[in-house]
Amino acid sequence: MNRINYLMNGLAALAFIVLFSQCAGKADNQVATTPASATAELSGMKIAYVEIDTLLAKYNFCIDLNEAMVKKSENVRMTLNQKMTALNKEKQEFQKKYESNAFLSPERAQQEYNRLAKMEQDLQELSNKLQNGLMEDNNTNSLLFRDSINAFLKEYNKTRGYSLIFSNTGFDNLLYADSAFYITKEIVDGLNARYSSAKK
């Protein structure tokens, strides 16, 4: 069940996505031969950054994916709990019958024991199957999220001309950045507008 609880935390893996676009302009045709020329190139770069935590919290597509995953995880948990409760009840009944010598023969008791053992094995296999399905869904959602970001940034940057767009989670990557380089709200608004039109 620990794996199910872990998955119910949503799409935490998405926080590791790095957002970037191609360097613009004539850089492909030039070779920097001196520190001075490299500095000149850097000084002409247009840079921005996006807070991934905010993006995860406010991008409606991500919110919908997360809610769907939570619902699937809860359904899996309920299904497994119901089957486990039913199995435990049968095991308790078997124990009572065995202790009171209610079985017609030792062979019949062994048959019932084998049946319950098979049920327990089947339940474990079902648990593994459902949990693996959740993990696959989570991976698929991560790819969908990443692709939606990349597709949007490709169009977005045609008119903005950024050389680099960094991602940041808390203080993991950027220790300091001027707020002038912060474009998270603009990105979130654009993504949500694009997602809303796609849903219609």
Side-chain angles (χ1 to χ4, degrees):
M1 294 300 173
N2 288 338
R3 291 173 67 190
I4 296 174
N5 292 333
Y6 170 76
L7 289 168
M8 289 179 66
N9 289 333
L11 305 177
L14 298 179
F16 297 104
I17 292 169
V18 177
L19 310 175
F20 59 90
S21 60
Q22 293 181 350
C23 290
K26 55 196 176 184
D28 291 341
N29 299 323
Q30 292 185 345
V31 177
T33 57
T34 66
S37 62
T39 302
E41 285 295 318
L42 286 173
S43 66
M45 290 178 70
K46 188 176 179 185
I47 297 173
Y49 75 98
V50 174
E51 285 282 357
I52 295 298
D53 292 344
T54 301
L55 193 63
L56 291 172
K58 295 187 177 181
Y59 182 18
N60 292 331
F61 179 52
C62 180
I63 293 170
D64 289 347
L65 288 177
N66 190 51
E67 288 177 352
M69 278 300 299
V70 169
K71 181 179 275 188
K72 285 182 180 180
S73 299
E74 181 64 17
N75 289 339
V76 165
R77 187 187 66 79
M78 288 178 61
T79 296
L80 294 177
N81 282 348
Q82 288 171 358
K83 291 184 177 295
M84 180 60 73
T85 299
L87 176 60
N88 286 337
K89 184 178 180 182
E90 289 203 45
K91 288 167 72 175
Q92 289 171 0
E93 290 174 357
F94 169 81
Q95 187 67 27
K96 288 178 182 178
K97 288 177 69 175
Y98 182 79
E99 290 174 353
S100 62
N101 294 317
F103 288 103
L104 298 176
S105 66
E107 291 77 14
R108 181 68 190 92
Q110 185 64 48
Q111 289 175 355
E112 182 63 10
Y113 177 84
N114 291 343
R115 185 184 73 85
L116 293 174
K118 179 66 165 59
M119 286 180 63
E120 191 163 23
Q121 180 182 349
D122 290 345
L123 180 56
Q124 183 59 52
E125 290 175 357
L126 176 63
S127 175
N128 292 338
K129 180 181 178 181
L130 293 176
Q131 291 178 32
N132 287 337
L134 286 175
M135 292 181 71
E136 289 175 6
D137 288 346
N138 194 53
N139 290 337
T140 298
N141 288 343
S142 296
L143 291 174
L144 289 172
F145 176 82
R146 184 189 65 194
D147 289 347
S148 73
I149 298 295
N150 288 342
F152 173 78
L153 286 179
K154 186 175 180 181
E155 290 300 313
Y156 168 86
N157 206 43
K158 285 181 179 178
T159 57
R160 302 313 194 280
Y162 287 107
S163 300
L164 290 171
I165 300 178
F166 291 102
S167 66
N168 186 48
T169 305
F171 293 102
D172 287 350
N173 299 317
L174 298 178
L175 296 178
Y176 172 79
D178 192 298
S179 60
F181 299 111
Y182 181 80
I183 61 169
T184 307
K185 185 178 186 306
E186 189 176 346
I187 296 297
V188 169
D189 290 346
L191 283 166
N192 283 336
R194 186 168 177 262
Y195 179 54
S196 296
S197 64
K199 287 178 68 176
K200 292 180 182 178

